[in-house]
Amino acid sequence: DAGVIQSPRHEVTEMGQEVTLRCKPISGHDYLFWYRQTMMRGLELLIYFNNNVPIDDSGMPEDRFSAKMPNASFSTLKIQPSEPRDSAVYFCASSSLGAEAFFGQGTRLTVV
Amino acid sequence: KQEVTQIPAALSVPEGENLVLNCSFTDSAIYNLQWFRQDPGKGLTSLLLIQSSQREQTSGRLNASLDKSSGRSTLYIAASQPGDSATYLCAVMAGGTSYGKLTFGQGTILTVHP
């Protein structure tokens, strides 16, 4: 398996634009996590899914953020409209319950 | 709500020293605990996974221990090398009502100088 795959690796966008981040988890993993990492706040859990169902989205900062997992091999995190304070590195991770979690390489988002 | 704390926030040691990184968590209803390493500008790499029923795990120069009842874990690095310089993060996977939720500490920034 190629591991957790995220795209794009880098995204620069203007304030107010819609941003979509993508994640392909490791095949067979039934948990998928979206995190945001900043210097100030560290690694924050935004939302996680189990068997494609959102379990806890309490970390999603506001209604501008949404996440979907239409099938076991794909998830998206959308920000609409984007703001400069959304600039961060966004990570996707996947695991099976009780097993190691594996992370993607992250998407570095810059909103100008 | 699970809270994970790592001490110290930063550590600078000379090459060859043995060192200990600490992780504590508030809710002992965990499924497992995992230690990660993150190099600057990179993703997270898993180092060790300890199941809640285990006391320790070893991989090479790394040894991680878990005391679930007291909510503590330590990562021991033997004979540190400059290549060990990185940020080390611990994460707990919840059991109980938050089944599967993976919560991270803020990390310890380790610098090993030659």
Side-chain angles (χ1 to χ4, degrees):
Chain A
D1 203 310
V4 178
I5 300 173
Q6 291 187 247
S7 64
R9 291 293 308 278
H10 302 272
E11 176 82 30
V12 180
T13 191
E14 292 186 346
M15 185 173 67
Q17 295 298 306
E18 177 179 296
V19 175
T20 300
L21 311 182
R22 297 173 175 80
C23 176
K24 182 181 188 308
I26 292 173
S27 177
H29 282 185
D30 52 359
Y31 281 85
L32 183 139
F33 307 86
W34 282 101
Y35 290 88
R36 177 172 69 176
Q37 188 175 42
T38 61
M39 288 292 292
M40 290 295 293
R41 301 174 69 93
L43 201 59
E44 303 173 277
L45 177 64
L46 301 177
I47 185 171
Y48 77 103
F49 295 83
N50 178 222
N51 291 322
N52 314 336
V53 176
I55 302 301
D56 185 342
D57 65 355
S58 60
M60 298 285 261
E62 45 198 280
D63 292 345
R64 297 184 297 106
F65 286 68
S66 63
K68 294 182 179 178
M69 192 163 185
N71 57 62
S73 59
F74 184 65
S75 178
T76 60
L77 178 68
K78 188 175 293 187
I79 308 172
Q80 165 62 18
S82 57
E83 296 182 3
R85 60 195 168 115
D86 302 330
S87 297
V89 180
Y90 291 80
F91 286 104
C92 175
S94 71
S95 76
S96 297
L97 187 66
E100 278 183 286
F102 292 89
F103 277 70
Q105 287 300 299
T107 295
R108 183 173 296 277
L109 174 65
T110 303
V111 184
V112 299
Chain B
K1 178 186 172 185
Q2 178 74 274
E3 293 183 2
V4 181
T5 303
Q6 292 188 243
I7 294 173
L11 184 62
S12 181
V13 300
E15 181 176 6
E17 271 204 9
N18 303 322
L19 55 99
V20 174
L21 308 181
N22 297 289
C23 173
S24 62
F25 46 95
T26 55
D27 186 349
S28 61
I30 67 169
Y31 213 90
N32 61 40
L33 183 144
Q34 198 168 350
W35 282 93
F36 291 85
R37 168 187 174 137
Q38 186 176 30
D39 293 291
K42 303 292 185 182
L44 280 72
T45 300
S46 177
L47 297 174
L48 288 165
L49 173 73
I50 312 177
Q51 300 294 348
S52 62
S53 58
Q54 296 177 320
R55 297 285 293 183
E56 65 179 297
Q57 282 286 342
T58 298
S59 175
R61 294 182 294 108
L62 305 181
N63 176 277
S65 67
L66 174 64
D67 184 342
K68 196 177 87 160
S69 60
S70 68
R72 293 178 185 174
S73 175
T74 61
L75 179 66
Y76 175 83
I77 303 177
S80 58
Q81 303 171 358
D84 295 331
S85 299
T87 298
Y88 290 81
L89 298 116
C90 71
V92 295
M93 179 171 278
T97 56
S98 298
Y99 215 57
K101 187 172 185 177
L102 191 62
T103 304
F104 278 82
Q106 292 287 83
T108 294
I109 301 171
L110 173 66
T111 304
V112 182
H113 46 89

